Structure formats: C-alpha cells, structure tokens
Amino acid sequence: VCWNDLVAIGLMNGIARAGLMPGHDISVTGYDDLEEASIATPALTTVWNGQTEVGRLAARALLDRLAGSHEPDGIHLIKPEMRIRQSTGVHRPRS
C-alpha cells in the first residue's frame, strides 16, 4: 500500500525489474487516482479521494466568504472510492 499513485507506479517498476509481476506475485495499491494509474502496466488499483469535488466546495466556501457570508453551510464529507484494477490480485497462501 503506497501513500500515492506515483510511489505505487515506481514500486511496480521496481517489482518488475526484480523479475516479479505486480498484481500476480505482489499486489500494489496507490492513492489519488491519477490519470497515469489507469494506463500504467498493469493498471494500478487506487483510491479516488474526490479531489475535484473538494476543490469545488473549497472555492464555493471562499466565494461565499468574499461575498459577505460568514455562516458555514455545514460539513461536507466526500466518500472515497476504491478503483480496483490489475495491480492487485487474489490472495494466494504461500506453499
């Protein structure tokens, strides 16, 4: 499990250079759901964290504040989504 997609893609490259197959021998996951995640080889399993929606809500709050509204309009929770791709596989116990 990597803290972002770029690290995960780098890890997959290192795993492949070591003669192993990401997603088959070792599962790899990232976080961010960058565009590169879906075109990596293998495609990277990652967590989408709603960064576009967070940006939209932050901009709206800032614009409201600049317009004179000092009342917050509540707490907004963005539900992350796991994007399962080929870099993770079924758990196989060691023999």
Side-chain angles (χ1 to χ4, degrees):
V1 176
C2 299
W3 69 283
N4 69 27
D5 288 350
L6 292 178
V7 171
I9 291 168
L11 176 64
M12 288 197 308
N13 288 334
I15 290 168
R17 281 194 303 271
L20 300 172
M21 292 176 49
H24 179 69
D25 297 313
I26 299 172
S27 290
V28 179
T29 63
Y31 187 89
D32 290 333
D33 195 26
L34 298 178
E35 288 184 34
E36 292 83 356
S38 64
I39 61 172
T41 304
L44 178 65
T45 295
T46 186
V47 176
W48 171 84
N49 61 6
Q51 56 268 45
T52 303
E53 182 67 8
V54 170
R56 187 188 68 73
L57 290 169
R60 177 80 267 148
L62 179 59
L63 291 172
D64 287 349
R65 184 77 180 236
L66 291 171
S69 172
H70 297 290
E71 293 295 319
D73 65 347
I75 295 174
H76 300 275
L77 299 177
I78 308 299
K79 183 178 179 184
E81 297 174 12
M82 185 75 146
R83 306 277 167 91
I84 307 287
R85 297 188 179 117
Q86 291 81 31
S87 70
T88 54
V90 176
H91 173 70
R92 294 185 319 266
R94 294 182 187 190
S95 49

